[in-house]
mmCIF file of all heavy atoms in Angstrom:
data_model
loop_
_atom_site.group_PDB
_atom_site.id
_atom_site.type_symbol
_atom_site.label_atom_id
_atom_site.label_comp_id
_atom_site.label_asym_id
_atom_site.label_seq_id
_atom_site.Cartn_x
_atom_site.Cartn_y
_atom_site.Cartn_z
ATOM 1 N N PHE U 119 -43.834 -27.737 -6.172
ATOM 2 C CA PHE U 119 -45.190 -27.322 -6.053
ATOM 3 C C PHE U 119 -45.353 -26.523 -4.791
ATOM 4 O O PHE U 119 -44.906 -26.932 -3.762
ATOM 5 C CB PHE U 119 -46.111 -28.499 -6.077
ATOM 6 C CG PHE U 119 -46.264 -29.169 -7.378
ATOM 7 C CD1 PHE U 119 -45.515 -30.341 -7.629
ATOM 8 C CD2 PHE U 119 -47.017 -28.545 -8.414
ATOM 9 C CE1 PHE U 119 -45.578 -30.818 -8.915
ATOM 10 C CE2 PHE U 119 -47.012 -29.102 -9.618
ATOM 11 C CZ PHE U 119 -46.311 -30.286 -9.883
ATOM 12 N N ALA U 120 -46.048 -25.362 -4.933
ATOM 13 C CA ALA U 120 -46.180 -24.433 -3.731
ATOM 14 C C ALA U 120 -44.942 -24.029 -3.120
ATOM 15 O O ALA U 120 -44.805 -23.951 -1.857
ATOM 16 C CB ALA U 120 -47.179 -25.065 -2.767
ATOM 17 N N ASN U 121 -43.952 -23.871 -3.970
ATOM 18 C CA ASN U 121 -42.617 -23.476 -3.349
ATOM 19 C C ASN U 121 -42.196 -22.088 -3.599
ATOM 20 O O ASN U 121 -42.000 -21.738 -4.738
ATOM 21 C CB ASN U 121 -41.548 -24.532 -4.057
ATOM 22 C CG ASN U 121 -40.254 -24.389 -3.384
ATOM 23 O OD1 ASN U 121 -39.942 -23.448 -2.669
ATOM 24 N ND2 ASN U 121 -39.454 -25.491 -3.488
ATOM 25 N N ALA U 122 -42.351 -21.286 -2.518
ATOM 26 C CA ALA U 122 -42.039 -19.816 -2.778
ATOM 27 C C ALA U 122 -40.603 -19.529 -3.086
ATOM 28 O O ALA U 122 -40.336 -18.556 -3.788
ATOM 29 C CB ALA U 122 -42.498 -19.122 -1.460
ATOM 30 N N GLU U 123 -39.812 -20.426 -2.582
ATOM 31 C CA GLU U 123 -38.294 -20.206 -2.907
ATOM 32 C C GLU U 123 -38.090 -20.067 -4.423
ATOM 33 O O GLU U 123 -37.355 -19.313 -4.908
ATOM 34 C CB GLU U 123 -37.506 -21.299 -2.292
ATOM 35 C CG GLU U 123 -37.549 -21.334 -0.817
ATOM 36 C CD GLU U 123 -37.024 -20.173 -0.138
ATOM 37 O OE1 GLU U 123 -36.044 -19.591 -0.692
ATOM 38 O OE2 GLU U 123 -37.583 -19.761 0.896
ATOM 39 N N LEU U 124 -38.710 -21.007 -5.145
ATOM 40 C CA LEU U 124 -38.488 -21.043 -6.579
ATOM 41 C C LEU U 124 -39.080 -19.819 -7.267
ATOM 42 O O LEU U 124 -38.673 -19.377 -8.217
ATOM 43 C CB LEU U 124 -39.020 -22.401 -7.115
ATOM 44 C CG LEU U 124 -38.165 -23.618 -6.957
ATOM 45 C CD1 LEU U 124 -38.929 -24.793 -7.506
ATOM 46 C CD2 LEU U 124 -36.974 -23.389 -7.914
ATOM 47 N N MET U 125 -40.130 -19.337 -6.629
ATOM 48 C CA MET U 125 -40.820 -18.256 -7.315
ATOM 49 C C MET U 125 -40.048 -16.894 -7.032
ATOM 50 O O MET U 125 -40.118 -15.931 -7.745
ATOM 51 C CB MET U 125 -42.251 -18.044 -6.799
ATOM 52 C CG MET U 125 -43.180 -19.142 -7.340
ATOM 53 S SD MET U 125 -44.577 -19.520 -6.308
ATOM 54 C CE MET U 125 -45.534 -18.031 -6.618
ATOM 55 N N LYS U 126 -39.365 -16.904 -5.912
ATOM 56 C CA LYS U 126 -38.581 -15.688 -5.531
ATOM 57 C C LYS U 126 -37.386 -15.418 -6.489
ATOM 58 O O LYS U 126 -37.199 -14.337 -6.815
ATOM 59 C CB LYS U 126 -38.025 -15.780 -4.141
ATOM 60 C CG LYS U 126 -39.036 -15.474 -3.090
ATOM 61 C CD LYS U 126 -38.429 -15.370 -1.725
ATOM 62 C CE LYS U 126 -38.802 -16.362 -0.748
ATOM 63 N NZ LYS U 126 -38.019 -16.449 0.460
ATOM 64 N N ILE U 127 -36.688 -16.553 -6.881
ATOM 65 C CA ILE U 127 -35.470 -16.231 -7.567
ATOM 66 C C ILE U 127 -35.757 -16.069 -9.067
ATOM 67 O O ILE U 127 -36.746 -16.533 -9.541
ATOM 68 C CB ILE U 127 -34.522 -17.437 -7.486
ATOM 69 C CG1 ILE U 127 -35.150 -18.765 -7.821
ATOM 70 C CG2 ILE U 127 -33.947 -17.531 -6.063
ATOM 71 C CD1 ILE U 127 -34.328 -19.930 -7.908
ATOM 72 N N PRO U 128 -34.970 -15.100 -9.680
ATOM 73 C CA PRO U 128 -35.272 -14.850 -11.140
ATOM 74 C C PRO U 128 -34.876 -16.111 -11.916
ATOM 75 O O PRO U 128 -33.977 -16.899 -11.555
ATOM 76 C CB PRO U 128 -34.333 -13.757 -11.455
ATOM 77 C CG PRO U 128 -33.253 -13.767 -10.405
ATOM 78 C CD PRO U 128 -33.886 -14.387 -9.218
ATOM 79 N N ASN U 129 -35.611 -16.327 -13.078
ATOM 80 C CA ASN U 129 -35.248 -17.492 -13.846
ATOM 81 C C ASN U 129 -35.040 -17.060 -15.229
ATOM 82 O O ASN U 129 -35.420 -15.875 -15.631
ATOM 83 C CB ASN U 129 -36.362 -18.565 -13.788
ATOM 84 C CG ASN U 129 -37.673 -18.081 -14.404
ATOM 85 O OD1 ASN U 129 -37.651 -17.735 -15.595
ATOM 86 N ND2 ASN U 129 -38.711 -18.077 -13.637
ATOM 87 N N PHE U 130 -34.298 -17.878 -15.940
ATOM 88 C CA PHE U 130 -34.020 -17.619 -17.346
ATOM 89 C C PHE U 130 -34.590 -18.595 -18.226
ATOM 90 O O PHE U 130 -34.033 -18.894 -19.339
ATOM 91 C CB PHE U 130 -32.529 -17.366 -17.561
ATOM 92 C CG PHE U 130 -31.900 -16.291 -16.821
ATOM 93 C CD1 PHE U 130 -31.455 -16.403 -15.514
ATOM 94 C CD2 PHE U 130 -31.935 -15.033 -17.465
ATOM 95 C CE1 PHE U 130 -30.949 -15.309 -14.890
ATOM 96 C CE2 PHE U 130 -31.358 -13.936 -16.804
ATOM 97 C CZ PHE U 130 -30.867 -14.012 -15.505
ATOM 98 N N LEU U 131 -35.783 -19.112 -17.870
ATOM 99 C CA LEU U 131 -36.371 -20.223 -18.687
ATOM 100 C C LEU U 131 -36.869 -19.648 -20.109
ATOM 101 O O LEU U 131 -36.966 -20.348 -21.082
ATOM 102 C CB LEU U 131 -37.594 -20.763 -18.025
ATOM 103 C CG LEU U 131 -37.231 -21.447 -16.725
ATOM 104 C CD1 LEU U 131 -38.445 -21.803 -15.891
ATOM 105 C CD2 LEU U 131 -36.478 -22.761 -17.016
ATOM 106 N N HIS U 132 -36.941 -18.331 -20.215
ATOM 107 C CA HIS U 132 -37.281 -17.798 -21.458
ATOM 108 C C HIS U 132 -36.049 -17.430 -22.390
ATOM 109 O O HIS U 132 -36.207 -17.042 -23.486
ATOM 110 C CB HIS U 132 -38.060 -16.413 -21.287
ATOM 111 C CG HIS U 132 -37.254 -15.389 -20.561
ATOM 112 N ND1 HIS U 132 -36.869 -15.544 -19.269
ATOM 113 C CD2 HIS U 132 -36.660 -14.257 -21.035
ATOM 114 C CE1 HIS U 132 -36.188 -14.504 -18.924
ATOM 115 N NE2 HIS U 132 -36.055 -13.656 -19.921
ATOM 116 N N LEU U 133 -34.896 -17.661 -21.820
ATOM 117 C CA LEU U 133 -33.675 -17.344 -22.587
ATOM 118 C C LEU U 133 -32.891 -18.595 -22.743
ATOM 119 O O LEU U 133 -31.577 -18.534 -22.694
ATOM 120 C CB LEU U 133 -32.817 -16.232 -21.802
ATOM 121 C CG LEU U 133 -33.364 -14.873 -21.796
ATOM 122 C CD1 LEU U 133 -32.450 -13.886 -21.088
ATOM 123 C CD2 LEU U 133 -33.485 -14.317 -23.330
ATOM 124 N N THR U 134 -33.470 -19.648 -23.201
ATOM 125 C CA THR U 134 -32.740 -20.860 -23.445
ATOM 126 C C THR U 134 -32.036 -20.552 -24.820
ATOM 127 O O THR U 134 -32.482 -19.729 -25.623
ATOM 128 C CB THR U 134 -33.669 -21.984 -23.669
ATOM 129 O OG1 THR U 134 -34.761 -21.608 -24.605
ATOM 130 C CG2 THR U 134 -34.338 -22.353 -22.378
ATOM 131 N N PRO U 135 -30.950 -21.303 -25.163
ATOM 132 C CA PRO U 135 -30.198 -21.046 -26.404
ATOM 133 C C PRO U 135 -31.109 -21.096 -27.642
ATOM 134 O O PRO U 135 -30.987 -20.265 -28.473
ATOM 135 C CB PRO U 135 -29.162 -22.163 -26.312
ATOM 136 C CG PRO U 135 -28.901 -22.339 -24.927
ATOM 137 C CD PRO U 135 -30.244 -22.120 -24.254
ATOM 138 N N PRO U 136 -32.026 -22.104 -27.755
ATOM 139 C CA PRO U 136 -32.857 -22.033 -28.921
ATOM 140 C C PRO U 136 -33.703 -20.783 -29.009
ATOM 141 O O PRO U 136 -33.856 -20.302 -30.117
ATOM 142 C CB PRO U 136 -33.750 -23.223 -28.745
ATOM 143 C CG PRO U 136 -33.123 -24.171 -27.737
ATOM 144 C CD PRO U 136 -32.301 -23.195 -26.853
ATOM 145 N N ALA U 137 -34.177 -20.335 -27.878
ATOM 146 C CA ALA U 137 -35.044 -19.105 -27.890
ATOM 147 C C ALA U 137 -34.167 -17.926 -28.368
ATOM 148 O O ALA U 137 -34.603 -17.136 -29.278
ATOM 149 C CB ALA U 137 -35.491 -18.767 -26.479
ATOM 150 N N ILE U 138 -33.000 -17.775 -27.919
ATOM 151 C CA ILE U 138 -32.088 -16.685 -28.389
ATOM 152 C C ILE U 138 -31.852 -16.849 -29.858
ATOM 153 O O ILE U 138 -31.872 -15.832 -30.596
ATOM 154 C CB ILE U 138 -30.795 -16.724 -27.609
ATOM 155 C CG1 ILE U 138 -31.063 -16.364 -26.087
ATOM 156 C CG2 ILE U 138 -29.754 -15.743 -28.176
ATOM 157 C CD1 ILE U 138 -29.917 -16.604 -25.193
ATOM 158 N N ARG U 139 -31.508 -18.058 -30.216
ATOM 159 C CA ARG U 139 -31.218 -18.222 -31.652
ATOM 160 C C ARG U 139 -32.401 -17.856 -32.496
ATOM 161 O O ARG U 139 -32.274 -17.089 -33.521
ATOM 162 C CB ARG U 139 -30.836 -19.715 -31.879
ATOM 163 C CG ARG U 139 -29.863 -20.036 -32.973
ATOM 164 C CD ARG U 139 -29.511 -21.470 -33.027
ATOM 165 N NE ARG U 139 -28.791 -21.860 -31.888
ATOM 166 C CZ ARG U 139 -29.095 -22.956 -31.129
ATOM 167 N NH1 ARG U 139 -30.147 -23.735 -31.402
ATOM 168 N NH2 ARG U 139 -28.370 -23.323 -30.005
#
Side-chain angles (χ1 to χ4, degrees):
Chain U
F119 291 100
N121 190 338
E123 297 297 323
L124 276 172
M125 287 155 74
K126 276 192 243 171
I127 54 170
N129 66 60
F130 291 93
L131 294 169
H132 62 291
L133 285 179
T134 53
I138 292 172
R139 213 173 293 130

